[in-house]
Amino acid sequence: MRKNWGDAMRYRKRGAWLTMVVIFLLLSAGFLPPVQARETVRIGILAHCGEAQCLRDWQAVFDLLNQQLEDYRFILKPLDFDQVYRAVEGREMEFLLANPAYYVACESRYGAQRIATLKRSLDGGNGGRRTFFGAVIFCRSDHPTLETLPQVSGKRLMGVHENSFGGWLMARRELLAAGVDPLRDCPEVSFGENHNAVVSAVLKGRADVGTVRTGILERMAKEGEIALKALRIIAPRPPVADFSLLHSTRLYPEWPLAKLAHTSDLLAEKVLAVLLTQKEINTGEEHVGSYSWTIPQNYQKVHECLRDLKVAPYENFGRITLQAVLAAYWPAFTGLAFLLVAVFLFYTYVQKLKNDSRARRALQQSKDFLQNVIDANPDSVVVISADYDVLFANRAARKLAVGGHGFTDSETLKCYEYLYGLNHPCESRDGFQCPLRQEKNMLSVTMINKTMRDSNGELRSFEIAMAPLPCNGKFLGMVESFRDVSSRVRAEQARYRLERAVEQAGEAIVITDAEGVIQYVNPAFERITGYRREEALGQNPRLLQSGEHDRAFYENLWQTLLRGETWQGELVNRNKNGEIYYEDATISPIYDQERRLINFIAVKRDVTKLKRSQQALQESEEYHRGLFNDSPVPLFL
């Protein structure tokens, strides 16, 4: 009995071990639900100071994202200047943080879209955080001649990198505007690869002139690396609102964070939500400084800079190439080629079969078919022989003909009769001579714009394409295609009149975007406020505030506008010279077709003289009333 009980215990222990082994195997084979892996998100960052430095500068952002978005694993991908375009094209990352020049090129070529803009300071925070920056051009203070941009010609010039926006491209634009092409007029153009190296090279005499982004000189001076008095700023610009750093160039928006075309909007929204709540981070590094994030800024100024320099994505801007012409007008060329082939085949077929009755019937069928095909074209198409005879006209052309001419095989009309109501070939009409009278144009396509009257006598505008019909070196005739562009011309004329009316208006007109950033001012605004247009664009109208209105006044103004209503009232503002002036203002919101707020427009009339006259009259009344009331002698009126 005791033996049987011992055997039973041994079998029970063996069964327990077997059960544990089976459970382990089931777990190993994946029968239990696996732990879901985190999705990897790669963010490429321009590492213009090296990969190790890039990792130190931006690691705090990745720590924050990995902490806040637990379903994703964010990886930093450092990129040098030559890797950015290749990495974007190869979809090696989901987001890109690079200088504005790289962003604009990636936006144009690969469909990148900005979701946030850096707000940072490189001067130790003395000027606060900014969403814009510029460049400073400088030399040693003991240089005997360098004070203006034209004097840079003939000097040794150093930048940070040929693709550095703040360390080269900004300064190059200003030099070109001053008549100096650095690549042509400077005996030596070199690059230091980082901002400190450029400053050091100028101080040690290895370069006559250097350029770095704004804030670098102030930061180096604050840290004791240089003395500002040892340097001279070339063509310094005066301080502007919210920007007191030394600068020699126009100001541009800071680095954008962009999502690439294949990145989902949902992921971009999650990343943006985390970044906008991020507190300021102070890295202590000269090319990053302290930073946080804000909503994406307007990068139109960057587009203009790159377009002036003709660098990516504007390498071919202003050049007319065959490839560009074909890309822009390929529908017109394709249609014209189709017409030429169809008309040529039709004409040769007619000549071959015209003496055969059976062939004539087939010809008529072929002609009817071709007529129906070309009648479907909304453009007017006319085939003209070398003797000015109208051989063919589609339905649209028959409606266009002057005098309501029809067109049949039994009648022969000349093109100048059919189209223009003339009794002789066209001479030089409106500065254009008929191509049939010009031997040199018989083998080329000619396109003109022409205003003419249709069969109803209505004046209309047309784009006319004229193509010759050669055969075995012989000129057979010409195909003319008329496209009615009257509506477009009228719209352009109406827009021009509106633009001229706004430009010449006596009232100041200001247009802002939905965020209140000034996008347009007319000359009356410049005259009244003293601010030039380039000074006002990109600013907020609050730069005119005088302090005479309290907070409740502006809250009422904005509440009225955001309700979709027009605000009218009197504003007390301050012009550029610090003088107070009065305006009668009407401010209205502008909505698009989907009722989305897109702009605000303000029309303001200067009433300062009227206001002061009223005040003077009131003061005069009060003065004489006081004399009258205080007189000891009874006075009667």
Side-chain angles (χ1 to χ4, degrees):
M1 186 71 177
R2 186 176 299 172
K3 180 180 180 181
N4 292 337
W5 181 82
D7 292 339
M9 289 301 295
R10 285 193 297 270
Y11 286 125
R12 184 173 298 176
K13 291 182 178 180
R14 291 176 182 174
W17 280 105
L18 289 174
T19 301
M20 294 178 63
V21 171
V22 170
I23 292 175
F24 175 76
L25 293 176
L26 289 175
L27 289 174
S28 301
F31 284 92
L32 293 180
V35 178
Q36 186 173 359
R38 300 172 70 182
E39 180 181 344
T40 299
V41 179
R42 300 157 298 178
I43 302 180
I45 299 182
L46 178 61
H48 57 164
C49 287
E51 180 175 338
Q53 188 66 53
C54 178
L55 294 172
R56 290 193 295 270
D57 294 339
W58 302 103
Q59 189 58 49
V61 175
F62 287 82
D63 292 342
L64 178 67
L65 291 172
N66 281 315
Q67 179 183 0
Q68 297 293 328
L69 302 176
E70 297 180 351
D71 294 336
Y72 302 92
R73 184 168 66 94
F74 290 86
I75 297 177
L76 190 158
K77 184 178 179 63
L79 302 169
D80 62 32
F81 284 96
D82 298 325
Q83 291 176 329
V84 174
Y85 295 135
R86 185 168 61 251
V88 173
E89 184 175 7
R91 296 188 173 187
E92 298 177 12
M93 57 205 172
E94 283 65 48
F95 296 91
L96 173 66
L97 177 61
N99 69 42
Y102 274 116
Y103 162 69
V104 166
C106 290
E107 177 189 47
S108 174
R109 293 176 175 175
Y110 308 113
Q113 181 181 353
R114 62 188 181 274
I115 65 170
T117 295
L118 267 181
K119 181 187 288 186
R120 63 178 171 181
S121 172
L122 297 179
D123 60 349
N126 292 335
R129 289 173 290 164
R130 308 176 185 86
T131 58
F132 48 91
F133 71 113
V136 58
I137 306 172
F138 61 93
C139 65
R140 284 174 42 165
S141 59
D142 58 358
H143 198 288
T145 60
L146 277 171
E147 292 184 354
T148 64
L149 292 179
Q151 292 173 334
V152 175
S153 177
K155 306 300 187 297
R156 297 171 300 164
L157 175 62
M158 178 176 284
V160 176
H161 190 278
E162 61 183 354
N163 289 332
S164 174
F165 191 56
W168 173 243
L169 297 177
M170 293 185 192
R172 184 183 171 197
R173 184 190 189 192
E174 303 301 334
L175 288 170
L176 286 174
V180 179
D181 184 346
L183 302 180
R184 179 195 63 199
D185 301 329
C186 294
E188 178 182 333
V189 175
S190 58
F191 299 100
E193 300 303 326
N194 65 69
H195 298 278
N196 279 12
V198 175
V199 178
S200 175
V202 172
L203 289 174
K204 294 180 179 179
R206 295 198 300 270
D208 300 315
V209 181
T211 179
V212 295
R213 66 168 285 155
T214 51
I216 296 298
L217 298 182
E218 289 89 340
R219 183 202 58 79
M220 294 179 70
K222 181 178 179 181
E223 295 178 357
E225 298 180 33
I226 65 170
L228 280 179
K229 64 181 181 180
L231 297 173
R232 178 191 303 147
I233 308 304
I234 300 175
R237 295 197 174 205
V240 298
D242 298 329
F243 196 88
S244 59
L245 297 178
L246 299 172
H247 62 290
S248 307
T249 69
R250 284 161 271 199
L251 302 179
Y252 301 86
E254 268 287 3
W255 284 28
L257 176 65
K259 84 174 190 68
L260 302 190
H262 64 278
T263 305
S264 71
D265 290 342
L266 178 60
L267 175 57
E269 291 171 359
K270 292 180 179 180
V271 171
L272 179 59
V274 173
L275 293 181
L276 291 180
T277 59
Q278 174 192 0
K279 296 182 179 179
E280 179 176 332
I281 296 176
N282 193 338
T283 65
E285 301 295 335
E286 53 99 358
H287 56 287
V288 177
S290 59
Y291 64 88
S292 59
W293 303 88
T294 187
I295 58 175
Q297 302 298 296
N298 186 344
Y299 286 80
Q300 181 59 36
K301 292 182 178 180
V302 181
H303 282 273
E304 295 170 358
C305 175
L306 303 182
R307 188 162 52 240
D308 288 348
L309 297 177
K310 294 184 178 180
V311 297
Y314 297 103
E315 303 95 326
N316 298 317
F317 180 74
R319 300 176 185 172
I320 300 178
T321 63
L322 177 60
Q323 181 179 3
V325 171
L326 292 177
Y329 299 102
W330 69 266
F333 282 111
T334 301
L336 189 59
F338 169 76
L339 290 175
L340 288 174
V341 172
V343 171
F344 176 75
L345 293 175
F346 172 74
Y347 185 82
T348 55
Y349 192 60
V350 169
Q351 294 299 316
K352 184 177 181 181
L353 303 178
K354 63 181 180 179
N355 295 323
D356 189 332
S357 59
R358 181 185 299 174
R360 283 198 297 270
R361 287 194 299 271
L363 175 63
Q364 185 61 45
Q365 293 175 353
S366 176
K367 181 179 179 181
D368 291 342
F369 174 77
L370 181 61
Q371 181 78 54
N372 292 332
V373 170
I374 302 181
D375 275 346
N377 190 341
D379 294 340
S380 301
V381 179
V382 180
V383 181
I384 304 170
S385 72
D387 297 324
Y388 307 102
D389 294 329
V390 177
L391 302 178
F392 180 88
N394 70 348
R395 183 182 296 112
R398 293 193 290 274
K399 294 180 180 179
L400 174 66
V402 174
H405 286 297
F407 184 79
T408 65
D409 290 342
S410 60
E411 62 180 334
T412 301
L413 292 174
K414 300 296 185 181
C415 60
Y416 45 83
E417 298 173 335
Y418 188 73
L419 295 173
Y420 306 114
L422 301 175
N423 57 8
H424 55 78
C426 303
E427 297 295 337
S428 180
R429 303 179 72 244
D430 299 330
F432 173 75
Q433 187 174 4
C434 176
L436 289 173
R437 300 172 65 89
Q438 301 181 62
E439 292 290 337
K440 63 181 180 180
N441 284 336
M442 286 188 176
L443 296 178
S444 63
V445 177
T446 302
M447 298 189 70
I448 63 169
N449 294 315
K450 197 174 189 65
T451 301
M452 53 189 290
R453 298 187 182 276
D454 61 11
S455 58
N456 297 322
E458 182 181 355
L459 197 63
R460 295 157 69 184
S461 299
F462 292 89
E463 285 181 350
I464 306 176
M466 293 168 284
L469 290 173
C471 182
N472 297 326
K474 183 179 179 182
F475 180 73
L476 302 180
M478 183 165 293
V479 178
E480 292 191 5
S481 176
F482 297 74
R483 173 164 295 179
D484 191 346
V485 294
S486 302
S487 298
R488 188 181 73 192
V489 170
R490 286 193 294 270
E492 292 174 350
Q493 291 173 346
R495 182 176 62 188
Y496 175 78
R497 287 193 294 270
L498 178 59
E499 290 176 351
R500 297 307 301 162
V502 171
E503 286 289 308
Q504 296 176 11
E507 291 78 11
I509 298 177
V510 182
I511 299 176
T512 74
D513 63 14
E515 302 299 328
V517 177
I518 297 176
Q519 295 182 328
Y520 171 82
V521 296
N522 69 344
F525 174 91
E526 296 177 304
R527 184 184 70 253
I528 294 172
T529 68
Y531 287 98
R532 291 179 289 113
R533 178 174 297 178
E534 54 268 26
E535 293 177 316
L537 296 184
Q539 300 292 331
N540 189 286
R542 70 172 63 95
L543 88 161
L544 300 175
Q545 289 183 4
S546 63
E548 296 291 328
H549 300 297
D550 58 16
R551 182 174 182 177
F553 176 87
Y554 290 107
E555 287 179 349
N556 175 65
L557 183 153
W558 278 106
Q559 289 172 0
T560 302
L561 294 177
L562 294 178
R563 287 197 304 267
E565 300 173 2
T566 297
W567 182 90
Q568 291 182 318
E570 183 179 276
L571 293 175
V572 182
N573 283 334
R574 190 182 302 276
N575 63 21
K576 185 177 180 180
N577 293 330
E579 299 171 349
I580 294 293
Y581 67 99
Y582 299 84
E583 294 178 311
D584 276 340
T586 299
I587 307 176
S588 302
I590 301 175
Y591 296 87
D592 62 14
Q593 295 178 346
E594 298 179 3
R595 287 296 298 171
R596 291 179 301 192
L597 180 64
I598 56 174
N599 291 102
F600 295 100
I601 181 170
V603 180
K604 304 187 289 185
R605 182 167 61 93
D606 188 353
V607 295
T608 304
K609 293 182 179 180
L610 176 61
K611 192 74 175 179
R612 290 174 178 169
S613 297
Q614 292 174 346
Q615 291 175 349
L617 178 60
Q618 182 178 357
E619 291 172 358
S620 176
E621 280 184 18
E622 292 176 354
Y623 173 76
H624 288 90
R625 185 179 293 110
L627 291 177
F628 184 89
N629 292 334
D630 296 336
S631 174
V633 180
L635 298 176
F636 298 91
L637 293 178

